[in-house]
Amino acid sequence: MKSGTVALVGRPNAGKSTLLNAIVGTKVSITSPKPQTTQFSVEAVYDDPKRGQIIFVDTPGIFAKTDNPKAHDINFSAEHAIKEGVDVIVYIVDKTRERGIEENKVLGVIRKSDVPKILVINKTDKRHPDFIEQYIFLKEEFDAYIELSARTHTNLNVLIDTIFAFLPEGEKLVDSDGLPTPILNMDSKLFLEEMIREKAFLRLRREVPYAIRVVVDSIVEKPQKNMTVIKARIFCPVRYKKMIIGSGGVKIKEIGMMARRELELATNRKIFLDLKVEEE
Ligand code: GDP
Ligand code: MG
């Protein structure tokens, strides 16, 4: 059996998401609080009971704008990610768009890595416009070359076969069903605080500014019940307290419910979230 991580790189609109959806069907993975098996966020998992497991990971920032003063750091981290942590690189290009300066940048990053690289020309179903000539010669520096259509699924199987051919032998790296199963513990505290805060912003939007703070006090596993009990508090200036609680507690309930649902989906466990509002 084989298993490993695959970085799918390509500029925005190249068709990465379409390709992933085509490969793993409707299963879309959730960002886990702490991906335990890879240092990247898992985008999708392709499980094949006979051949093994392909984990598609996200390498953030590789196409970041160059006028960003932090661009250097971002490039460095993308480079590092590609160098250190992935088993195969799939570089996806959109043949209906002209090669831009961005492509040279990503090629620069890819060239520094020693792992097998697959060049994928996407959107073969679309005849015009066609800039394939601007990309096809790149195949010389790749280990494999595939023309496919993520939309019509043409040649997807060839891509899967090729990835498996390059993946190392190994055991499954993440739980089945295409979803990484994060375990919540005190290490996830920061993640939970951010997540609850995000839900609060969604529910309260304009009404409440950045004046709130979330603190997770405890995360307790109840293995007999396959349940995790989380206690958290939202701290806010006194003038916002009523707003956050809502009439009859309706707002805080909504916030708690949104956070709880997302966590249940991500962890595949029952979550009990005890969420209170306190003034500070
Ligand atoms: P991403 O930004 O790389 O994730 O690109 P998306 O997957 O979001 O795709 C960008 C656009 O290209 C969407 O409108 C897709 O429907 C379209 N697209 C993706 N793959 C194909 C393809 O194989 N053929 C055609 N014609 N369009 C595609
Ligand atoms: Mg996308």
Side-chain angles (χ1 to χ4, degrees):
M1 169 152 166
K2 293 184 155 192
S3 67
T5 52
V6 175
L8 195 60
V9 291
R11 68 179 164 185
N13 290 321
K16 298 178 295 295
S17 302
T18 310
L19 184 65
L20 280 184
N21 283 334
I23 291 173
V24 301
T26 49
K27 288 180 211 161
V28 178
S29 69
I30 298 162
T31 342
S32 57
K34 255 209 154 180
Q36 289 136 59
T37 47
T38 77
Q39 48 179 315
F40 317 110
S41 51
V42 174
E43 289 255 26
V45 179
Y46 179 82
D47 256 320
D48 183 325
K50 290 211 181 79
R51 292 189 286 180
Q53 193 173 56
I54 308 172
I55 299 169
F56 292 94
V57 297
D58 189 21
T59 53
I62 201 164
F63 277 101
K65 285 201 189 100
T66 36
D67 55 5
N68 178 338
K70 288 217 169 123
H72 179 75
D73 295 354
I74 292 168
N75 276 336
F76 177 79
S77 67
E79 251 176 62
H80 179 77
I82 279 189
K83 253 193 193 151
E84 303 294 320
V86 303
D87 299 300
V88 176
I89 294 171
V90 172
Y91 178 37
I92 173 168
V93 299
D94 173 355
K95 76 167 188 87
T96 69
R97 276 179 71 199
E98 281 195 89
R99 250 187 91 176
I101 198 153
E102 293 171 315
E103 306 282 2
N104 297 338
K105 209 169 113 191
V106 77
L107 278 168
V109 173
I110 290 176
R111 279 184 188 127
K112 291 188 182 146
S113 163
D114 296 326
V115 305
K117 297 156 205 167
I118 304 170
L119 175 62
V120 166
I121 305 273
N122 188 29
K123 310 198 185 178
T124 54
D125 61 292
K126 201 171 161 190
R127 294 255 162 91
H128 309 284
D130 188 358
F131 295 101
I132 197 166
E133 295 307 324
Q134 297 186 359
Y135 301 100
I136 204 163
F137 71 94
L138 292 172
K139 69 182 182 187
E140 305 302 329
E141 53 180 292
F142 282 76
D143 299 282
Y145 168 81
I146 299 161
E147 291 177 20
L148 57 76
S149 165
R151 178 172 288 176
T152 63
H153 297 200
T154 310
N155 273 350
L156 276 191
N157 55 337
V158 181
L159 175 61
I160 304 283
D161 293 351
T162 312
I163 291 173
F164 272 122
F166 288 128
L167 276 193
E169 291 291 325
E171 293 303 306
K172 273 191 169 190
L173 293 172
V174 300
D175 257 356
S176 292
D177 300 331
L179 295 179
T181 310
I183 294 165
L184 297 175
N185 52 36
M186 280 321 261
D187 288 341
S188 327
K189 202 168 166 280
L190 194 65
F191 163 81
L192 288 171
E193 289 168 359
E194 294 279 294
M195 201 258 235
I196 294 167
R197 191 155 178 266
E198 175 201 302
K199 302 304 174 216
F201 272 95
L202 284 175
R203 290 329 292 166
L204 301 162
R205 231 167 284 182
R206 259 159 287 160
E207 308 165 28
V208 180
Y210 294 79
I212 64 165
R213 188 163 70 86
V214 179
V215 172
V216 168
D217 295 308
S218 66
I219 304 167
V220 179
E221 292 288 330
K222 306 266 175 189
Q224 336 74 269
K225 293 185 187 155
N226 193 32
M227 189 202 242
T228 305
V229 178
I230 300 165
K231 285 195 177 158
R233 286 175 292 166
I234 295 178
F235 287 95
C236 65
V238 64
R239 64 187 182 284
Y240 295 128
K241 192 175 173 189
K242 270 200 180 129
M243 229 177 251
I244 297 173
I245 293 172
S247 77
V250 64
K251 270 279 187 273
I252 187 72
K253 264 190 207 138
E254 270 176 32
I255 295 165
M257 195 181 64
M258 283 173 85
R260 179 176 61 76
R261 281 211 185 127
E262 187 167 319
L263 286 172
E264 286 186 341
L265 215 57
T267 59
N268 207 14
R269 295 174 66 81
K270 265 201 87 56
I271 303 287
F272 182 81
L273 176 59
D274 175 1
L275 187 58
K276 292 198 169 69
V277 183
E278 284 183 25
E279 57 204 58
E280 63 179 348

